């Protein structure tokens, strides 16, 4: 039986000398930068250069650049995960406000899931720890400003949407709690909550709030909220609810007008790009006598052009040109853009488009209007050609603009960059990028040009490392934020080139900004690298140390895989350190399991590493979370046998005999193998084990019998072994084979 006192004392010793790690995804590594030192398994030889002059300069690690208030919220997350004292409430209140205010000052309200999660955690903490006399520490206006961030935040994951909604509801609850003190902010918070619920796939809850407050005091409700509820039901695909909501709107004195009609069309045309539903609701609106807005018609016509619905859209186009435009320069240009796109969508050749443009210009001159074509007429043609994958046509439309003296603008360059990337012309895309790199990239729908170019260059065969590193250096100097795909691609390049310091800088700069799911995609790059048998062990060790520090949330199964990979390389010292890192983790579900111990002991046995066996065995004796099993004792016997310690292996056999579970057939075979190499009295121990098991009338397997014969043969008892072989069929009903 283990001594509780000894266990307690050694635990205190270890806890005072070994560093623990935080396992939340936003870990202390993000306010204590990663280090690239090598651990003890890689022995180094001290050396010096002549007078120390040729020593390479020590590179300075890049520090993380936090948004205002972000660091303090990360520290709170770390403290809660480690059950430590959190930062003061006053500091957290200022941090919360600083983060929200920074977004409003920069007029960039977009926040990602990880930032919303931190805001939600901080707000919950402020709620749970407040004193009635002090209050929450946030004003109604500050909480409404936070809700404004939630209104524009984008997330597709259901669990993330739940986090957004829970925070919005908590914020509204606190504002509502202030009552009259909140003033107009109370109404603003209500309307913000309704919009958040509607557009984050909870339209039924938004509608319930709308109905309740419309009946109580309709003056506090913005009528446009009904439009948001309609779009919300469109998001979840509930057509019946859309129709019933229209009836409810009219019941509450809010007509289904052209603006609500436009909101539905905008969703189907821009977000879901569902042509059939767009056509259906366009016809529903016109059937109800609604005159489509100019914006509605433009959305419909654009979708018809890009999805080859020209026959259906022809009447819409004629009506739009006849009734929605005036004889002004801007309206004439709008009509020209539509006519040119319509002709291109019908398959008109480049020369015909050129002649059509000449006709339009001539007609405007005849009418006394000096309207000249501009680059905004060429850009939609380039976009249409690019959407069909016709790079040649896109380049010809670009040439058409240049022929008429129309210089490419920012939108043109973005389109050119896009179709060159998609067609695999990376040199051409890089040339366009060099022209764009000093611009802002808000017009890109998904990821910015530098992200797309990095990802494409990293997939190119052969990889042009110089071009990638030039691009990476440029982005580092200009502090450009990368998306998770670009970080994964650049991380792989750094790994392939052995640039571990650059990899650390990359993670220090970007990794803490991503959500757990995004971090997992980056983490997988490092894990795959660590499991690649073709890579040098020293590089694997460096990559592993970066992995465990940058991504402390790596699960136990992945860490065990890496440990086993080190055993397969014959580096039991590195594998033991990997196991030790697992033992020092704080959260119980991240600590080594029985399976981890088994794999570790078996690996040590294969490598015959007595020192590692002693280290892991001591960890096992001090681990009160692991209850020994027969399988674990089996692996411990294998470790002792591999390290030529048969006496200790047989002690584990005795532990198995006295355990509740008892031995398995595998245990018997392993114990007899220990007897085979036991220097003194091995044959007697083998006979004792065999006779003891025979008294229990056990049905031996062929492997058990073979192991018993081998145990006796190991001590030179060949005559007895021959008799056992001859009696095998009678004793265990097995015919002797070559192995026996």
């Amino acid at each position: 039986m283990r001594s509780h006192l000894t266990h307690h004392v050694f635990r205190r010793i270890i806890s005072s000398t070994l560093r623990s790690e935080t396992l939340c995804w936003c870990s202390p590594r993000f306010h204590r930068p990663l280090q690239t030192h090598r651990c003890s398994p890689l022995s180094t030889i001290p050396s010096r250069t002549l007078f120390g002059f040729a020593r390479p300069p020590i590179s300075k690690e890049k520090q993380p650049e936090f948004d205002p208030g972000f660091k303090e919220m990360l520290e709170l997350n770390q403290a809660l995960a480690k059950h430590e004292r959190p930062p003061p409430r006053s500091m957290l209140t200022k941090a919360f406000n600083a983060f929200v205010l920074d977004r409003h000052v920069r007029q960039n309200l977009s926040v990602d899931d990880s930032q919303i999660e931190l805001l939600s955690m901080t707000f919950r903490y402020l709620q749970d720890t407040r004193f009635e006399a002090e209050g929450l520490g946030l004003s109604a206006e500050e909480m409404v400003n936070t809700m404004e961030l939630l209104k524009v935040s984008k997330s597709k994951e259901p669990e993330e949407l739940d986090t957004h909604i829970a925070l919005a509801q908590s914020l509204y609850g606190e504002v509502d709690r202030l009552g009259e003190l909140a003033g107009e902010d109370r109404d603003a918070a209500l309307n913000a909550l309704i919009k958040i619920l509607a557009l984050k796939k909870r339209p039924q809850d938004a509608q319930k709030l709308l109905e309740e407050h419309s009946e109580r005091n309709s003056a506090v409700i913005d009528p446009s909220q009904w439009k948001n509820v309609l779009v919300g039901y469109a998001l979840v695909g509930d057509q019946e609810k859309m129709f019933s909501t229209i009836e409810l709107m009219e019941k509450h004195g809010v007509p289904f007008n052209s603006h609500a009609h436009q909101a539905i069309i905008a969703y189907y045309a821009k977000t879901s790009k569902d042509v059939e539903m767009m056509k259906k609701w366009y016809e529903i609106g016109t059937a109800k006598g609604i005159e489509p807005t100019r914006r509605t018609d433009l959305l419909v016509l654009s979708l018809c052009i890009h999805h080859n619905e020209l026959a259906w859209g022809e009447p819409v186009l004629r009506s739009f040109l006849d009734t929605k435009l005036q004889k002004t320069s801007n309206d004439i240009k709008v009509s020209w853009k539509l006519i040119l796109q319509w002709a291109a969508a019908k398959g008109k050749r480049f020369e015909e488009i050129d002649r059509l443009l000449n006709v339009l210009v001539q007609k405007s001159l005849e009418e006394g209007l000096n309207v000249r074509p501009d680059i905004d007429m060429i850009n939609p043609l380039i976009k249409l050609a690019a959407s069909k994958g016709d790079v040649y046509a896109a380049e010809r439309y670009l040439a058409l603009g240049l022929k008429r003296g129309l210089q490419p603008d920012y939108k043109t360059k973005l389109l050119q960059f896009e179709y060159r990337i998609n067609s695999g012309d990376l040199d051409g895309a890089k040339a366009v990028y060099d022209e764009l790199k000093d611009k802002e990239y808000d017009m890109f729908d998904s990821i910015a040009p530098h992200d797309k170019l990095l990802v494409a260059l990293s997939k190119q065969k052969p990889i042009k490392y110089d071009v990638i590193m030039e691009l990476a250096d440029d982005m580092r100097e200009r502090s450009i934020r990368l998306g998770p795909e670009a970080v994964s691609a650049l991380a792989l390049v750094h790994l392939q080139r052995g640039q571990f310091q650059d990899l650390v800088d990359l993670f220090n700069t970007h990794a803490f900004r991503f959500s757990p799911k995004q971090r997992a995609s980056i983490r997988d790059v490092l894990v795959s690298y660590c499991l690649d048998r073709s890579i040098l062990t020293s590089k694997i060790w460096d990559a592993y140390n970066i992995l465990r520090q940058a991504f402390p949330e790596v699960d136990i199964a992945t860490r065990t895989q890496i440990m086993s990979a080190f055993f397969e390389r014959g580096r039991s010292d590195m594998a033991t350190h990997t196991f030790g890192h697992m033992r020092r983790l704080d959260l119980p579900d991240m600590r080594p399991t029985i399976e981890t111990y088994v794999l570790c002991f078996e690996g040590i046995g294969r490598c015959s590493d007595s020192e590692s066996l002693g280290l892991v065995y001591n960890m096992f004796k001090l681990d009160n979370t692991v209850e020994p099993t027969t399988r674990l004792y089996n692996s411990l016997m294998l470790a002792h046998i591999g390290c030529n310690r048969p006496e200790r292996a047989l002690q584990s056999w005795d532990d198995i005999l006295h355990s509740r579970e008892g031995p398995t057939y595998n245990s018997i075979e392993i114990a007899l193998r220990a007897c085979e190499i036991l220097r003194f009295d091995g044959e007697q121990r083998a006979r004792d084990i065999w006779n003891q098991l025979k008294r229990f009338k056990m049905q031996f397997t062929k492997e058990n019998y073979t192991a018993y014969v081998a145990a006796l043969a190991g001590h030179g008892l060949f005559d007895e072994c021959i008799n056992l072989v001859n009696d095998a069929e009678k004793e265990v009903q097995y015919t002797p084979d070559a192995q026996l």
Side-chain angles (χ1 to χ4, degrees):
M1 183 176 179
R2 301 180 191 175
S3 168
H4 175 74
L5 178 61
T6 303
H7 167 79
H8 178 71
V9 170
F10 276 89
R11 288 284 292 178
R12 293 295 298 271
I13 293 172
I14 288 179
S15 65
S16 66
T17 58
L18 298 182
R19 178 178 59 83
S20 63
E21 298 183 19
T22 302
L23 299 186
C24 51
W25 60 265
C26 31
S27 74
R29 296 252 54 92
F30 300 128
H31 47 88
R32 186 179 62 202
L34 276 63
Q35 306 293 323
T36 53
H37 62 274
R38 292 189 177 190
C39 295
S40 56
L42 299 180
S43 57
T44 57
I45 301 174
S47 62
R48 60 178 296 174
T49 56
L50 182 62
F51 304 114
F53 294 131
R55 200 174 279 119
I58 299 175
S59 59
K60 187 177 181 181
E61 293 179 352
K62 188 172 180 64
Q63 302 296 314
E65 297 178 0
F66 298 104
D67 292 330
F70 194 77
K71 180 180 178 181
E72 290 78 7
M73 291 190 287
L74 279 176
E75 289 175 349
L76 172 64
N77 188 71
Q78 173 199 350
L80 295 178
K82 296 183 70 175
H83 304 288
E84 296 176 347
R85 177 178 293 179
R89 270 182 55 88
S90 58
M91 179 188 296
L92 293 173
T93 304
K94 291 179 182 178
F96 188 95
N97 285 331
F99 181 85
V100 176
L101 181 62
D102 176 66
R103 284 294 188 274
H104 284 274
V105 169
R106 289 192 292 158
Q107 296 183 345
N108 177 15
L109 301 184
S110 62
V111 285
D112 57 36
D113 292 336
S114 61
Q115 293 166 334
I116 292 294
E117 191 171 340
L118 277 177
L119 285 170
S120 179
M121 176 208 61
T122 305
F123 190 76
R124 285 198 308 271
Y125 177 79
L126 293 175
Q127 283 182 305
D128 295 340
T129 59
R130 68 176 162 194
F131 297 100
E132 290 299 327
E134 297 179 3
L136 188 64
L138 299 171
S139 68
E141 182 183 1
E142 290 164 343
M143 288 186 279
V144 171
N145 287 339
T146 307
M147 297 182 78
E148 291 296 322
L149 300 185
L150 294 172
K151 282 165 61 175
V152 298
S153 62
K154 297 179 181 179
S155 181
K156 296 181 180 179
E157 300 298 326
E159 58 272 16
E160 302 298 345
L161 289 176
D162 290 342
T163 302
H164 294 199
I165 291 171
L167 176 56
Q169 290 172 328
S170 298
L171 287 163
Y172 171 71
E174 291 295 336
V175 175
D176 188 53
R177 184 179 180 184
L178 294 174
E180 297 299 328
L181 295 175
E184 294 181 357
D185 290 321
R186 189 180 185 185
D187 298 342
L190 173 62
N191 283 285
L193 177 61
I194 292 171
K195 184 172 183 179
I196 291 167
L197 289 170
L199 300 185
K200 294 189 184 296
K201 300 186 178 182
R202 294 273 287 274
Q204 65 280 3
D205 295 336
Q207 181 180 326
K208 184 178 178 182
L209 274 175
L210 260 178
E211 292 185 67
E212 289 177 359
H213 288 275
S214 294
E215 292 173 358
R216 191 183 309 164
N217 183 8
S218 60
V220 303
I221 296 295
D222 182 355
S224 67
Q225 295 297 345
W226 287 103
K227 174 184 67 178
N228 293 326
V229 172
L230 274 174
V231 175
Y233 281 123
L235 277 167
V236 297
D238 194 335
Q239 297 291 308
E240 291 184 8
K241 283 289 187 180
M242 292 178 73
F243 288 116
S244 63
T245 301
I246 291 174
E247 294 177 1
L248 276 173
M249 290 170 60
E250 294 170 348
K251 177 182 174 183
H252 286 88
V254 180
F256 178 60
N257 55 22
S258 58
H259 295 292
H261 184 233
Q262 176 182 308
I264 296 174
I265 296 299
Y267 167 72
Y268 287 124
K270 295 179 65 178
T271 306
S272 69
K273 299 191 187 307
D274 189 332
V275 180
E276 293 304 319
M277 292 304 300
M278 181 274 294
K279 289 161 59 177
K280 175 181 176 180
W281 277 93
Y282 187 86
E283 291 168 352
I284 288 173
T286 54
K288 286 180 172 288
I290 293 175
E291 178 67 24
T293 65
R294 175 169 167 158
R295 173 65 175 163
T296 301
D297 280 345
L298 286 172
L299 289 168
V300 168
L301 292 171
S302 177
L303 200 65
C304 288
I305 288 169
H306 285 270
H307 290 79
N308 199 26
E309 289 287 343
L310 304 179
W312 183 89
E314 195 81 43
V316 180
L317 177 62
R318 286 198 301 269
S319 173
F320 180 81
L321 295 176
D322 293 341
T323 63
K324 302 289 176 64
L325 299 177
Q326 304 295 324
K327 289 293 184 179
T328 64
S329 177
N330 287 336
D331 279 6
I332 290 173
K333 288 182 179 181
V334 170
S335 67
W336 287 10
K337 286 168 66 175
L338 282 173
I339 292 169
L340 292 173
Q341 289 181 75
W342 207 266
K346 282 190 169 184
K348 298 296 183 181
R349 293 178 300 174
F350 171 80
E351 294 80 6
E352 294 175 293
I353 299 293
D354 191 15
R355 286 197 297 270
L356 177 58
L357 188 53
N358 288 332
V359 170
L360 293 173
V361 172
Q362 183 62 36
K363 183 179 178 182
S364 73
L365 292 174
E366 292 173 358
E367 294 176 353
L369 299 170
N370 189 20
V371 180
R372 310 301 299 176
D374 56 27
I375 195 64
D376 283 337
M377 296 180 192
I378 304 299
N379 287 339
L381 298 174
I382 297 174
K383 184 177 181 180
L384 179 60
S387 68
K388 296 180 178 180
D390 192 345
V391 178
Y392 176 72
E395 291 286 357
R396 294 204 69 183
Y397 287 133
L398 183 61
L400 172 62
L402 293 172
K403 170 186 169 183
R404 293 177 174 271
L406 307 177
Q407 293 302 316
D409 64 358
Y410 175 55
K411 292 181 181 179
T412 315
K413 289 297 180 182
L414 283 176
L415 291 168
Q416 190 180 23
F417 177 86
E418 180 85 6
Y419 68 69
R420 286 185 177 179
I421 279 278
N422 293 337
S423 65
D425 180 12
L426 300 188
D427 292 335
K430 177 64 167 59
V432 177
Y433 172 81
D434 290 337
E435 300 178 42
L436 284 171
K437 63 183 181 182
D438 294 326
K439 306 290 183 180
E440 295 295 331
Y441 305 121
D442 296 339
M443 293 183 185
F444 252 66
D445 294 331
S446 52
I447 56 176
H450 44 69
D451 284 46
K452 289 194 172 186
L453 187 56
L454 262 179
V455 173
L457 287 171
S458 68
K459 295 178 180 178
Q460 189 180 33
K461 301 297 181 184
I463 296 179
K464 296 181 179 180
Y465 290 108
D466 293 341
V467 177
I468 294 176
M469 298 317 300
E470 177 191 347
L471 186 62
D473 291 341
D474 174 69
M475 291 185 294
R476 188 183 299 114
E477 290 174 4
R478 294 189 291 122
S479 300
I480 290 177
R481 295 187 180 183
L482 301 177
E485 289 187 28
V487 172
S488 298
L490 193 53
L492 183 59
V493 171
H494 287 321
L495 287 169
Q496 291 169 342
R497 292 172 63 86
Q499 298 169 331
F500 295 107
Q501 181 61 56
D502 290 334
L503 184 63
V504 169
D505 289 345
L506 179 70
F507 290 154
N508 275 341
T509 305
H510 299 288
F512 68 92
R513 305 182 191 278
F514 301 131
S515 68
K517 185 175 181 179
Q518 291 171 328
R519 286 171 56 81
S521 65
I522 303 170
R523 184 179 69 234
D524 290 344
V525 173
L526 274 172
V527 172
S528 299
Y529 183 86
C530 290
L531 299 178
D532 190 340
R533 293 298 301 273
S534 66
I535 299 172
L536 291 175
T537 303
S538 59
K539 291 185 176 182
I540 296 297
W541 178 251
D542 284 337
Y544 161 70
N545 276 291
I546 294 173
L547 171 69
R548 72 181 179 85
Q549 294 179 75
F551 301 95
E553 71 272 18
V554 176
D555 58 41
I556 194 72
T558 302
R559 293 174 184 265
T560 304
Q561 273 187 297
I562 296 173
M563 179 192 74
S564 299
F566 282 128
F567 278 127
E568 291 172 5
R569 290 172 175 268
R571 293 305 302 262
S572 55
D573 51 348
M574 294 180 178
T576 303
H577 275 272
T578 306
F579 181 86
H581 297 149
M582 288 186 262
R583 276 282 281 116
R584 295 204 298 266
L585 298 176
D586 293 332
L587 298 183
D589 58 348
M590 297 292 288
R591 293 168 64 84
T593 61
I594 290 286
E595 181 66 22
T596 315
Y597 275 101
V598 168
L599 292 174
C600 188
F601 282 133
E602 290 177 351
I604 290 172
R606 290 193 300 272
C607 295
S608 303
D609 187 347
S610 300
E611 183 180 355
S612 295
L613 175 58
L615 288 171
V616 178
Y617 182 72
N618 287 336
M619 293 182 200
F620 162 64
K621 296 292 287 184
L622 294 173
D623 194 342
N624 60 358
T625 65
V626 174
E627 188 66 29
T629 63
T630 297
R631 185 159 181 258
L632 191 146
Y633 281 128
N634 288 347
S635 66
L636 188 54
M637 283 196 292
L638 289 172
H640 285 305
I641 291 171
C643 296
N644 199 25
R645 295 179 177 179
E647 301 91 348
R648 299 291 300 274
L650 290 173
Q651 289 178 13
S652 296
W653 166 255
D654 292 336
D655 290 335
I656 292 175
L657 290 179
H658 292 91
S659 68
R660 181 178 301 177
E661 188 177 355
T664 63
Y665 286 113
N666 198 28
S667 308
I668 299 169
E669 184 180 350
I670 296 170
L672 291 172
R673 283 174 57 190
C675 295
E676 180 182 351
I677 63 171
L678 184 62
R679 185 172 301 177
F680 302 107
D681 205 29
E683 71 281 3
Q684 187 57 47
R685 288 297 304 270
R687 288 195 183 98
D688 291 343
I689 291 172
W690 192 256
N691 292 331
Q692 183 181 17
L693 295 173
K694 286 180 71 175
R695 286 198 299 272
F696 291 131
K697 297 181 180 180
M698 288 192 64
Q699 184 69 34
F700 296 106
T701 65
K702 184 177 181 180
E703 289 76 15
N704 296 155
Y705 197 78
T706 303
Y708 179 54
V709 173
L712 298 180
H715 295 279
L717 303 176
F718 298 114
D719 292 339
E720 187 173 349
C721 289
I722 291 171
N723 292 333
L724 286 171
V725 171
N726 292 331
D727 294 341
E729 194 163 0
K730 180 179 69 174
E731 291 287 336
V732 290
Q733 291 78 47
Y734 291 121
T735 303
D737 57 9
Q739 183 181 3
L740 182 57

